Structures are given as structure tokens and as C-alpha cells.
Amino acid sequence: MYRRHLLEPGISFFLLGLRGVGKSTWARERFRDATWIDLLHEAVFQAHLTDPRLFRRKLSEAVPGDWVVVDEVQRLPSLLNEVHSLIEERRLRFVLAGSSARKLRRSGVNLLGGRALSRTLSPLLPSELGPDFDLDRALRFGTLPLIQNSPAPAEQLEAYTQLYLKEEIQAEALVRNLAGFARFLPVAALFHGQVLNVESLARDCGVARTTVQSYLDVLDDTLLSYRLPAYEGRLRVKERRHPKLYWTDPGVVRATLRNFHQPTSEERGPPLEGL
């Protein structure tokens, strides 16, 4: 068990992070006395889906200041209306954990009007790993807690990327063409730490530019990647500068490429920069 540097605020907050990054473990350690509602558990999800009043009944005995953890909240965004009401009426405090921000960003979803802060949990940092941090291993397999102490990191990373396609993309119906998205992923992985030209990426994938743009948005919204905008020193520039694309974890990049050998000196640059 590694101690994470993330500190909880004193009020309700969204806790976002890549699947397997340790959000649930962190929350259980920090909020041991909290009421826990795990929407990843299918029976719990179905019960709350079919009976909207169940959520409020479960919290009927909670008193002002009590913490409530809702895990995988993006599976049932409608619960945020109840969360909003309970913050206002009962002064309860919520940890709203999720591995995807896509459903939470759709129009019509109640984001609590500033009543909840936002925190992001990253893969393990070198300072969190302490003496267990190994740069060569981190560049090869990444630093996801799920992988850190695995006896078979390559196999587990490969299973992780397959799980991402199945549970995050297919189950949530985030893209219409799953096969096309699966072909897009390894091409996008080649752009890790690189200046991103969407037109070039679209040509390499053999799909429309608008499709590639939507696929990149899915990567960002499921917290698998982010884009760093180019610095523009003047307010008006004739040439549009392109952002850089960074994947959240170098191990996931290599698993997407199915490339698990020790990075050569020429291959170390982008994953090191990303890390």
C-alpha cells in the first residue's frame, strides 16, 4: 500500500481518474466511516436505476457533515440531482468517484453548480513510490497501482487495454464503430508526447477528421489522455499552433502498441517526457 499525496477537501468533490488508478482504495482508506454506494456492483446499479427513491432512503439516518462515497457515479448521472438536494437540505458531504467524465459533461447533467470541487488521482508518482520507484520499469510498464506489484505486468497491461475497450467504450456506447476505434488507438499511441496534427492522424487511420476528433475527445473524457495546448505569445496569430498529445500512463501506451520490450535509448524520449 502506497500513501497517496492527494488530500481531500473539506467539502463535496468529484474524484476522477483512470480505471485502476486506485480511487476506490484511496477513498476507502480516507473515508472509513462513510456510507458507500458502489455503482460498479451491478445489483446496486440496477436497484438505484429502477428505484430513484432508494438513494435518499439509504441516507435517511445520515446527519449533517457525514460523508457519502458514490463510486462510478458516471454510470447513473441522474443521482446528481439527489446529491445536489442532499447537500443543500441536509448538509451531507459527497465523494463522487468516476473513471469517465464523458457522461458527466453532457448537457442536462447536474454538476452541482460549484457545490463540489474536482480532484484527479494520477498513476503513482515517483515520490509516492519512494525507494520502489524504478525509472526503467516505469517507462516500460507505467506506474498504475494495478500493475506496480504484478508478477506478470505485460500480460496484465494487455488485459487492461482490452478491458478499457469492453467496459469503458463498448458498455457505455461511447463510439458507434468499436472496430474503427480499436484501429485508431495504436495510431494515437504513436503520437504520445508528439505535436498532434489531427489531419495527419486521420490520414494514418484512414477515417474522417471529424471522427478522429471525436475519438480524441473520448480518450480525454475517459482520462486516458490529455492535450497540452501550444503556447501562443500573442493574442493574434496567423498560424494555428497544434497541441501535444500525452497519454496518462506510459505502460498503457506500450500495451496499446503491444510493445513490452525494454525501451531503447531512441524510444525513451516520449514516455520520459510524458512521465
Side-chain angles (χ1 to χ4, degrees):
M1 182 72 72
Y2 297 103
R3 184 171 181 81
R4 310 305 302 268
H5 292 334
L6 180 67
L7 299 177
E8 69 278 6
I11 64 172
S12 299
F13 64 101
F14 289 94
L15 176 61
L16 302 176
L18 196 63
R19 184 179 289 273
V21 83
K23 299 182 299 297
S24 300
T25 301
W26 178 86
R28 289 190 185 279
E29 177 66 23
R30 294 280 182 158
F31 302 96
R32 296 184 179 183
D33 298 326
T35 301
W36 196 282
I37 299 172
D38 186 1
L39 296 177
L40 188 60
H41 194 289
E42 194 61 28
V44 175
F45 169 72
Q46 292 293 339
H48 284 81
L49 181 65
T50 56
D51 183 2
R53 294 171 296 181
L54 177 60
F55 185 72
R56 189 175 282 267
R57 289 203 304 270
K58 280 192 173 182
L59 301 177
S60 60
E61 297 183 3
V63 299
D66 280 358
W67 283 98
V68 181
V69 179
V70 184
D71 205 4
E72 297 298 331
V73 66
Q74 82 279 352
R75 296 197 72 194
L76 202 55
S78 60
L79 280 184
L80 293 175
N81 292 325
E82 290 294 333
V83 170
H84 188 160
S85 176
L86 289 167
I87 291 175
E88 288 290 298
E89 297 173 9
R90 307 261 303 279
R91 297 295 186 262
L92 301 183
R93 296 183 292 179
F94 289 85
V95 181
L96 304 164
S99 58
S100 172
R102 194 165 184 82
K103 282 191 173 181
L104 299 179
R105 289 175 180 165
R106 291 178 181 174
S107 61
V109 173
N110 186 344
L111 293 180
L112 309 182
R115 291 166 180 80
L117 303 180
S118 180
R119 294 289 184 269
T120 302
L121 192 62
S122 68
L124 287 162
L125 304 174
S127 55
E128 291 171 337
L129 285 167
D132 288 345
F133 177 69
D134 182 323
L135 179 59
D136 290 335
R137 192 184 193 283
L139 297 182
R140 185 178 182 183
F141 298 121
T143 60
L144 282 173
L146 185 70
I147 307 300
Q148 181 61 31
N149 294 316
S150 171
E155 291 85 349
Q156 195 154 0
L157 272 170
E158 191 167 13
Y160 180 92
T161 58
Q162 294 170 358
L163 185 71
Y164 170 77
L165 283 173
K166 180 180 179 182
E167 294 196 2
E168 294 284 2
I169 306 303
Q170 186 177 29
E172 299 294 340
L174 298 181
V175 298
R176 295 180 180 179
N177 183 355
L178 187 64
F181 185 77
R183 291 193 300 270
F184 155 82
L185 281 176
V187 180
L190 292 172
F191 278 82
H192 175 55
Q194 307 296 324
V195 174
L196 178 62
N197 186 314
V198 176
E199 290 82 0
S200 175
L201 181 55
R203 286 195 301 270
D204 292 345
C205 294
V207 297
R209 182 188 184 281
T210 53
T211 302
V212 166
Q213 186 64 59
S214 69
Y215 286 171
L216 288 168
D217 290 342
V218 169
L219 290 186
D220 289 355
D221 289 344
T222 55
L223 309 171
L224 201 65
S225 74
Y226 61 94
R227 280 166 278 182
L228 180 68
Y231 171 73
E232 296 186 1
R234 293 178 295 170
L235 292 177
R236 296 181 179 179
V237 290
K238 293 182 179 179
E239 182 179 356
R240 181 180 176 85
R241 295 189 174 101
H242 299 292
K244 272 191 170 185
L245 176 70
Y246 290 101
W247 287 56
T248 305
D249 183 75
V252 177
V253 177
R254 296 180 64 80
T256 304
L257 295 170
R258 296 185 178 180
N259 184 359
F260 296 107
H261 66 264
Q262 189 67 41
T264 64
S265 57
E266 293 80 8
E267 295 172 327
R268 287 168 64 91
L272 179 60
E273 182 180 339
L275 184 66

